[in-house]
Structure formats: structure tokens, C-alpha cells
Amino acid sequence: MADTSPHPIARTLGAVLVFQLLIGALLILGDIRDAPLSLPFLKPNAPRLSDPVRPGDQRRTFNPSRDRPSTQPARNPGELPDRLTLTFEDAQWRLEGQIAAEDAARLIPQIDAADPPVTDLVLQSPGGSVRDALDIGRHLRDRGIATTVLSGEICYSACPYLYAGGETRTAEANASIGVHQHSFGENTFLPAFTAIDDIQRGQAEVMSYLDDMGIDVRVMRHALATPADEIYILLPEELERYNFVNPSDS
């Protein structure tokens, strides 16, 4: 009787293909941050952003387009722009919106050409492109520009890296600053190791940047432990501990 069982090599290739497809699916799921999660097992366990944050209870679902922190902001922030936007409002320069790819190249000339000159930037952003946040942050430090997050307003995901570039940094009472895991580069199905390599190199770049900016890189423990669909809100004492603010600013 003929042996109809799969050849060992075919079985091995099939197993590798299934594994690679699973890795690709996980990478794609990591990119779907803003899509509603309809499957119960995909839903994050953290409370919503609108729930008050307490010590030891600091992870929240990451959906700034739906939720805002429970603290009432000093002004009506309105809808944040889809792209990072520089505006002058109430004698303050503001940099607000989603950080998109190529925003550094677009905004750095605007900051340099601003009249009156930019000496302090109020930031509000749900995050976005890490690389552009780092590039803008380094430019702010080179120009000696200070950064501020106002009470009741947000600076999440890649935004804290932009904020860290400030020559001096101020987080008002009830400012909401949070970190989580990031993806770097373009995710692909195959090979999976390429995406892993991008992540490792990206995390090393972020940690080097934070060290250059005088930030305690131990803050990355919270970022790396918090999945991309959640955000870890830093308490005022943590902002001080990790050197995001001076003791007098907290």
C-alpha cells in the first residue's frame, strides 16, 4: 500500500509557513490602533482614559479620539489636527496634532521662521511617528526652546519624546503624559525578523535620545511593559523621578 502521509520536508515547510503567517497577523494587529476591537479576547483590560488615575492603577485604554482624561482642561482643546500643526494662540506657540511621517522636515523650517520667535512650545498630541518626534525634539534642544504640557491636556505615545527635547520642561498640574510600546519602520509579513530588528534598533535609538536629553531611561520599563493599545500615565512624582520636569515644576 502506497504511503500517502505528507513528506517530512513538506510538513516542515507547512509549519514554517503557518508560523510566518501568524507572525504577520500579529504585526498587522499591532498596527490597528484606532480600529474598534470587536473580538472580546482582543479588548484591552485597562480602564478608559476618562477614569481617574491612581498610583498603581495607571494603564488606560489608548483611544484619544474617543476618550479624554477626567481632568477638565483649562481651555476647550477642540479636535486635534490630523497632522502636527504650529499655531500662535493667546500669545503662545502651540504644536498640536498627530505626529505623521515627514512632519519634522515640514515643521522645523516653520519653527525657525516663526515671528515672534519660538521660545516655548505648548504641546498636545496623541503621538505618532517616533522618528519625527525625535528629530523635532533634537531641534528644539539645539534652539534652546522650552516645552510645556498644560493642565488637562495630553502628550502620549511619541509626544513625550518631543516634549523631552525642551531646554526646560514644564508639566502643569493634571497634565496627562503617557508612554507605551512603539512600532518602528514598515511591518511586513516576511521575514518577521526584519520587523523585530527594526523594533530593537528603534528602542535603542529612543533610549540613546532620552539619555542625551537628560531623561532617566528607566522610564522605558513602563513603555515596554504597556501594549500599544494601552497607555501608561506618568504620575507627577514619576515625571520628577525620571527628570521630565524639575522639582519646582511638579
Side-chain angles (χ1 to χ4, degrees):
M1 182 175 181
D3 183 7
T4 57
S5 61
H7 193 278
I9 295 178
R11 288 199 301 269
T12 300
L13 290 175
V16 170
L17 178 59
V18 170
F19 175 75
Q20 290 176 326
L21 290 174
L22 286 173
I23 291 293
L26 290 173
L27 292 172
I28 289 176
L29 286 173
D31 285 339
I32 308 176
R33 291 183 180 178
D34 297 324
L37 300 178
S38 57
L39 298 177
F41 67 90
L42 290 178
K43 291 185 178 180
N45 296 320
R48 292 172 65 157
L49 270 173
S50 52
D51 294 330
V53 174
R54 302 176 183 85
D57 176 30
Q58 295 162 245
R59 278 167 56 165
R60 295 291 179 268
T61 53
F62 184 61
N63 194 340
S65 63
R66 180 194 69 188
D67 299 331
R68 301 286 297 187
S70 58
T71 304
Q72 184 67 30
R75 66 177 194 110
N76 180 6
E79 293 291 329
L80 291 177
D82 292 334
R83 294 286 300 272
L84 204 58
T85 303
L86 181 69
T87 59
F88 191 64
E89 177 184 324
D90 297 329
Q92 290 180 316
W93 283 106
R94 304 182 65 92
L95 197 57
E96 298 179 290
Q98 183 83 17
I99 307 170
E102 307 301 329
D103 271 353
R106 180 174 61 86
L107 284 164
I108 285 173
Q110 294 182 30
I111 293 170
D112 290 345
D115 186 19
V118 178
T119 57
D120 190 314
L121 267 178
V122 173
L123 304 178
Q124 184 169 211
S125 171
S129 168
V130 174
R131 189 166 305 281
D132 285 84
L134 300 185
D135 289 345
I136 297 173
R138 288 192 184 280
H139 188 73
L140 298 183
R141 180 61 60 90
D142 289 343
R143 291 290 305 273
I145 296 172
T147 52
T148 299
V149 182
L150 300 182
S151 180
E153 299 191 4
I154 66 171
C155 184
Y156 295 152
S157 186
C159 178
Y161 307 140
L162 201 167
Y163 167 79
E167 179 70 23
T168 60
R169 300 175 292 271
T170 303
E172 291 188 353
N174 298 316
S176 190
I177 299 176
V179 295
H180 65 179
Q181 297 170 4
H182 297 290
S183 60
F184 297 84
E186 294 296 327
N187 288 343
T188 58
F189 279 103
L190 302 174
F193 67 80
T194 301
I196 295 172
D197 183 61
D198 285 342
I199 292 170
Q200 290 176 331
R201 286 187 290 104
Q203 295 293 2
E205 183 179 357
V206 167
M207 294 177 73
S208 177
Y209 168 84
L210 291 176
D211 187 53
D212 290 345
M213 297 299 110
I215 303 297
D216 189 335
V217 297
R218 287 178 294 178
V219 70
M220 292 300 292
R221 293 181 300 174
H222 305 299
L224 294 174
T226 305
D229 57 1
E230 298 180 10
I231 197 79
Y232 180 92
I233 307 299
L234 294 163
L235 297 172
E237 54 266 33
E238 291 175 317
L239 293 172
E240 182 175 332
R241 181 188 312 148
Y242 299 126
N243 300 326
F244 277 99
V245 296
N246 296 325
S248 59
D249 295 329
S250 59

